[in-house]
Amino acid sequence: MSAPSHADFVARIRAYLGEHLPPDMAARGRRDVHPSREDMLGITAILSRAGWSVPHWPEAHGGPGWSGMQRYLFEEELMLAGAPPNNIQGVSLVGPVIYTFGTQAQQARYLAPIREGREFWAQGFSEPGSGSDLASLRTRAVREGEGADAVYVVNGQKIWTSQAFMADMLFCLVRTDTQAKAQLGISFLLIPMRSPGVRVRPIQSIDEGESLCEVFLDDVRVPARNLVGEEGRGWDYAKFLLGNERVTTADVPRNKRYLAALKAMAKNAPSPSRHGVCLYDEPVFRQRMARLEIDLIALESAAVGTIELDDHSPLTPSALKIHGTELMQGLLELQVESLGAHGAAFFPHESRAEAGERWLPGPGDAPDAPGVLAEYLFRRAATIYGGSTEIQKNIIAKLLFGGRQAVASPVSEDQAQMQQSAERFAALWRETSWRDFEKGDADLARRRWLRLADTGFLGLGIDETMGGQGGSLDDLAVVMAALGRGGVAEPLGSCCVSAAHLLATAEWPSQRRREALGRLVSGEQVFAFAHLEVGDGGAPGARSVATRAAAMRDGFVLDGAKCAVMGGAMAEFFIVPARSITGAADAAAPVALFLVPAGASGVKAHPYRSVDGQVVADLSFERVELASDALIASGDAAALRIDEAILRATAMACAQAVGTMETLFGSTLDYLQTRRQFGAPLASFQALQHRVAEMYGELALSRAMLRRAVAALESREPAMPSRERIVSAGKSRIGRAAFFVRSQSVQLHGGIGMTQECEIGRLFKRLHAFEIEWGNGHHHAARFAEMGDD
């Protein structure tokens, strides 16, 4: 996501790494599951010479003074260059604790060796039998003596202490007060690993490597000056530290590297089901890769969003940690699968050359293949370390039920006013009886549409010189989300967003365009975009058009059919894509756009309603005669405008869906806190808390994907596939999230959620319709995969 303003910064980082990162170190960085002490300290020393070894530290302590986005881009460049990881326990974890809470003497003693790659640190938090429950720790530190000679005598045991066997120092949580409440009796102590009484036992993990350790502390005498901050405040310092760790363990750059390796491996691997086809081109595998890549885009969008929004919400680190680590495991699983029969071959710490004759080159061979299985096995711990996924869900649920919310995207003063106006309209809309919708009455739908037109929203995004309200797609997305929160089910995509764009770009004199748009904005006439055909499986786009328009001397004759035209039952005009035929029927003929009166001879509408109450129609055109001025667009411009209209409508449908999910999520949160069962509120049951945490995570990723999709459209980049790819990723990912959120909302409401009078059921149906409109998730995932890499 490198913006043009960051191009020089990225180029400078790449140039330095190209000159100073040793190729053998980069090769080990890409391959080694368990990096060496020398490489981890070595990369820190290399970066230190440029002043970049501690990018997130303040300048007063040696940091480079970069912005959050610069730090993000720097980490990505390191990962893509193959740089080994640094000693994260020193650089990212204990360093910030020391410069934030430590004494000047501690800062002088410890910060420079960390920054310059001269001292290696390990983290002593977890204990046998405690796992992530840090408050239950039993390692004891008893203070002896006073003044400069005072020491803490430490006894206890730590486990899962990464790389402790190569560490110089251990930052450790110890219990200094056994009488105080569990969290209040904990202190934060810095322990030299060469102290008498410290013993380390490496633990072999399931990848058969050693990085995890058990540390035994027997009468270890630690100078009292090594206490960080105040005695009994260790719990607070640990929470501060773990917040940094969980953002780091979202691991977006690492996941990008895993994805790139997966694609390279899949292109070299044979498909097990299609002879002569590589695995990359095998449809099922390609779809699975696309799904993970879409998840990565969503995760990156969320991570970047926290930087851009300066989001310090404690909800964010836990949500990013859950999704980042689960994505990591999914990518590695597909890497192993791409090895085929060699997927069980175990050469954990060898390059292909080192593996020698044991590794047989073949169609599925890849340079880094020998370490793939070991990496897959080792990263199974990703959802455990740094606080397991279950612990993260507990944290999210506790914060949500305590009233904490994530930082919302900022809106301008004008957008805030539009949002409030949309919410007022939505509140009135919610009061409408379902009986008005279940009739599928076009006259009632028309009256509702006129009420919507009175708000002025139909003119949003249309230039003021053309009779609209002006504004950007970002403005429109704010309004659509607000309408979505009210569950408004009107054909906004078909009769507003796409229709307005197609009329505004029509190949007509400006006066005629202005008049048509004026009628659309006022609600005087309804224009419905009739783009779907029975044979296209619900996949929108110019290339699937089969309806034909034969050119005649004074116009055209239209033949064909369209289906599921949203708003079609109340429309006065249809905007119809058709193949412009000059001779015999030709499926390759160029697409053109026509404005077709609903009352024209040969036009037949078969009205019905959608599950969420919209009025819809299937259309048939039988020798419909059109004047020459019915042509809106022709040639290449027509196809581009059709696809652009669909992109805009798809993105705005996503905005509406995110708003609807927000209402479902909020209602579910409230219901669980007020509904009691077995003498306790439903919110007290952990299984339900975890469901809510999962709903929150899906909503957070959806909000991020929406921001990314709207930004892509607003950029007006000439590279159309990039914009299409992002919007398809958004529709696919938000569609998945919408399915989960709506299903869980009904489930957690129980029987009441299944009743027609309960709003939850109506919103469930609204999101079901969203999944179908503008192409379902399968279509967009397939489109995303088909467009390939940008």
Side-chain angles (χ1 to χ4, degrees):
M1 294 181 68
S2 177
S5 60
H6 293 120
D8 291 343
F9 174 80
V10 169
R12 185 158 57 98
I13 301 300
R14 287 181 182 173
Y16 183 82
L17 293 175
E19 183 178 353
H20 296 282
L21 179 63
D24 59 334
M25 181 184 283
R28 291 190 298 272
R30 290 190 177 93
R31 183 193 71 228
D32 289 357
V33 178
H34 301 280
S36 67
R37 170 190 165 100
E38 290 72 26
D39 276 353
M40 286 190 280
L41 292 180
I43 188 61
T44 301
I46 290 170
L47 297 175
S48 177
R49 291 193 283 273
W52 300 342
S53 61
V54 286
H56 59 290
W57 288 19
E59 290 181 86
H61 296 296
W66 289 339
S67 68
M69 184 56 70
Q70 286 175 317
R71 293 195 298 271
Y72 174 85
L73 294 171
F74 174 68
E75 294 295 335
E76 181 172 293
E77 290 304 314
L78 285 177
M79 185 62 64
L80 296 179
N86 61 19
N87 173 215
I88 185 175
Q89 293 92 337
V91 171
S92 297
L93 302 185
V94 76
V97 172
I98 292 172
Y99 67 63
T100 303
F101 304 106
T103 64
Q104 288 187 349
Q106 289 170 342
Q107 293 173 16
R109 161 63 184 85
Y110 297 113
L111 294 183
I114 293 173
R115 189 173 58 241
E116 296 166 8
R118 294 188 281 111
E119 201 161 56
F120 200 98
W121 286 76
Q123 171 180 299
F125 279 15
S126 295
E127 297 187 359
S130 295
S132 298
D133 182 12
L134 299 182
S136 68
L137 64 86
R138 294 186 295 275
T139 294
R140 186 84 168 90
V142 179
R143 187 180 178 109
E144 291 185 357
E146 297 295 334
D149 296 328
V151 298
Y152 285 96
V153 180
V154 183
N155 284 277
Q157 183 180 351
K158 298 293 179 178
I159 199 167
W160 317 128
T161 312
S162 297
Q163 297 143 348
F165 65 89
M166 62 176 74
D168 303 298
M169 295 291 300
L170 178 76
F171 60 92
C172 193
L173 291 183
V174 296
R175 187 164 297 286
T176 49
D177 187 345
T178 58
Q179 303 303 313
K181 182 181 176 182
Q183 289 90 340
L184 299 180
I186 295 173
S187 298
F188 197 102
L189 205 58
L190 310 179
I191 303 177
M193 290 296 286
R194 293 176 182 81
S195 301
V198 177
R199 182 166 56 92
V200 178
R201 183 181 75 85
I203 301 171
Q204 194 174 55
S205 49
I206 60 175
D207 64 287
E208 301 180 24
E210 293 178 350
S211 65
L212 303 174
C213 298
E214 199 167 14
V215 178
F216 300 90
L217 304 161
D218 299 316
D219 290 332
V220 179
R221 300 179 71 81
V222 182
R225 64 178 177 273
N226 285 22
L227 174 73
V228 175
E230 302 174 32
E231 190 173 284
R233 293 282 309 281
W235 180 257
D236 295 331
Y237 309 146
K239 288 193 294 184
F240 169 84
L241 178 150
L242 289 173
N244 291 333
E245 182 183 31
R246 286 166 188 149
V247 170
T248 303
T249 49
D251 254 332
V252 173
R254 183 179 298 279
N255 280 323
K256 281 190 170 185
R257 193 163 85 183
Y258 286 156
L259 176 64
L262 170 62
K263 288 182 176 181
M265 295 171 71
K267 288 175 181 178
N268 288 322
S271 166
S273 59
R274 300 179 66 188
H275 182 69
V277 174
C278 73
L279 191 58
Y280 186 87
D281 293 327
E282 201 280 315
V284 174
F285 193 86
R286 187 75 174 273
Q287 280 267 329
R288 292 167 67 195
M289 279 199 305
R291 181 185 175 104
L292 292 175
E293 186 172 0
I294 288 169
D295 285 346
L296 178 54
I297 291 173
L299 181 69
E300 181 183 35
S301 301
V304 170
T306 64
I307 297 169
E308 294 175 339
L309 299 176
D310 196 23
D311 179 4
H312 297 289
S313 167
L315 287 162
T316 302
S318 291
L320 291 178
K321 204 269 184 182
I322 290 171
H323 286 281
T325 53
E326 290 179 347
L327 173 61
M328 179 185 295
Q329 292 172 348
L331 289 166
L332 289 171
E333 180 182 349
L334 285 195
Q335 283 191 18
V336 172
E337 189 172 326
S338 73
L339 295 177
H342 282 128
F346 196 69
F347 307 124
H349 311 297
E350 301 170 279
S351 69
R352 180 176 57 179
E354 291 168 335
E357 294 180 359
R358 291 180 297 165
W359 186 262
L360 301 176
D365 192 26
D368 299 322
V372 166
L373 182 57
E375 185 83 358
Y376 163 77
L377 292 170
F378 179 69
R379 295 294 173 182
R380 185 60 194 81
T383 48
I384 300 173
Y385 56 61
S388 70
T389 294
E390 291 70 29
I391 294 297
Q392 306 306 327
K393 291 177 182 179
N394 287 346
I395 292 170
I396 293 172
K398 182 178 179 180
L399 291 167
L400 289 171
F401 287 120
R404 297 298 293 264
Q405 294 292 325
V407 174
S409 297
V411 295
S412 67
E413 186 175 337
D414 288 343
Q415 287 176 336
Q417 292 177 354
M418 289 186 284
Q419 183 173 271
Q420 292 168 5
S421 179
E423 288 170 348
R424 286 194 295 271
F425 174 82
L428 293 173
W429 196 93
R430 291 166 81 173
E431 295 173 2
T432 304
S433 169
W434 174 250
R435 293 189 179 279
D436 284 347
F437 295 98
E438 68 181 1
K439 296 173 185 176
D441 190 311
D443 290 334
L444 290 175
R446 195 73 175 76
R447 290 199 287 272
R448 292 197 306 270
W449 190 255
L450 283 171
R451 287 174 61 190
L452 183 62
D454 288 342
T455 66
F457 296 149
L458 300 186
L460 196 56
I462 301 174
D463 193 274
E464 293 180 31
T465 62
M466 302 300 293
Q469 301 293 324
S472 64
L473 282 175
D474 192 48
D475 297 331
L476 186 55
V478 169
V479 169
M480 294 291 280
L483 295 174
R485 283 191 284 276
V488 172
E490 300 293 350
L492 291 161
S494 172
C495 301
C496 176
V497 180
S498 58
H501 174 75
L502 295 172
L503 290 176
T505 57
E507 296 170 356
W508 288 340
S510 58
Q511 180 61 31
R512 188 177 177 196
R513 275 186 283 139
R514 203 162 30 243
E515 290 172 354
L517 287 168
R519 296 194 297 274
L520 182 151
V521 170
S522 68
E524 177 186 345
Q525 291 179 336
V526 176
F527 299 80
F529 183 28
H531 61 97
L532 290 176
E533 306 204 6
V534 175
D536 61 19
R543 62 181 180 175
S544 62
V545 173
T547 297
R548 304 176 306 282
M552 308 295 286
R553 185 174 57 185
D554 55 352
F556 304 89
V557 174
L558 189 70
D559 286 282
K562 300 289 181 177
C563 71
V565 180
M566 308 307 291
M570 66 174 182
E572 281 84 14
F573 289 92
F574 302 115
I575 301 175
V576 181
R579 298 280 173 191
S580 182
I581 308 299
T582 56
D586 184 359
V591 172
L593 270 172
F594 298 90
L595 186 65
V596 181
S601 176
V603 177
K604 292 183 180 179
H606 308 278
Y608 53 96
R609 72 167 176 87
S610 62
V611 70
D612 60 342
Q614 297 186 64
V615 292
V616 190
D618 290 341
L619 307 177
S620 61
F621 307 107
E622 187 174 341
R623 297 199 58 77
V624 179
E625 295 184 5
L626 300 173
S628 59
D629 63 358
L631 182 68
I632 289 181
S634 58
D636 293 340
L640 289 174
R641 288 168 188 168
I642 291 168
D643 288 340
E644 178 69 16
I646 290 170
L647 278 181
R648 289 167 175 253
T650 301
M652 293 305 106
C654 289
Q656 198 172 359
V658 168
T660 304
M661 281 191 278
E662 288 173 344
T663 296
L664 282 169
F665 177 71
S667 297
T668 303
L669 206 62
D670 292 341
Y671 182 78
L672 293 179
Q673 292 179 95
T674 56
R675 179 77 164 88
R676 297 179 67 84
Q677 200 156 12
F678 304 111
L682 291 178
S684 65
F685 296 98
Q686 188 181 60
L688 305 189
Q689 292 174 0
H690 284 197
R691 296 274 188 88
V692 168
E694 291 162 3
M695 290 172 71
Y696 170 79
E698 292 296 315
L699 179 57
L701 290 186
S702 296
R703 287 167 169 163
M705 277 301 318
L706 173 62
R707 288 194 300 268
R708 182 81 179 269
V710 174
L713 290 180
E714 287 280 38
S715 70
R716 293 179 171 81
E717 298 172 1
M720 192 66 159
S722 174
R723 300 168 76 238
E724 288 181 342
R725 216 164 178 254
I726 292 297
V727 172
S728 278
K731 182 62 161 68
S732 175
R733 190 63 187 82
I734 293 171
R736 264 194 278 149
F739 176 83
F740 182 81
V741 170
R742 76 177 192 258
S743 300
Q744 294 305 311
S745 185
V746 170
Q747 182 72 22
L748 296 180
H749 274 80
I752 191 68
M754 290 296 297
T755 61
Q756 188 62 48
E757 63 264 25
C758 179
E759 184 184 38
I760 296 302
R762 287 174 65 169
L763 297 182
F764 180 98
K765 294 193 287 187
R766 171 82 279 275
L767 288 179
H768 173 77
F770 158 74
E771 168 63 10
I772 305 301
E773 296 166 359
W774 308 105
N776 61 25
H778 174 77
H779 162 74
H780 282 284
R783 287 281 291 150
F784 178 88
E786 179 185 283
M787 285 183 275
D789 302 328
D790 291 336

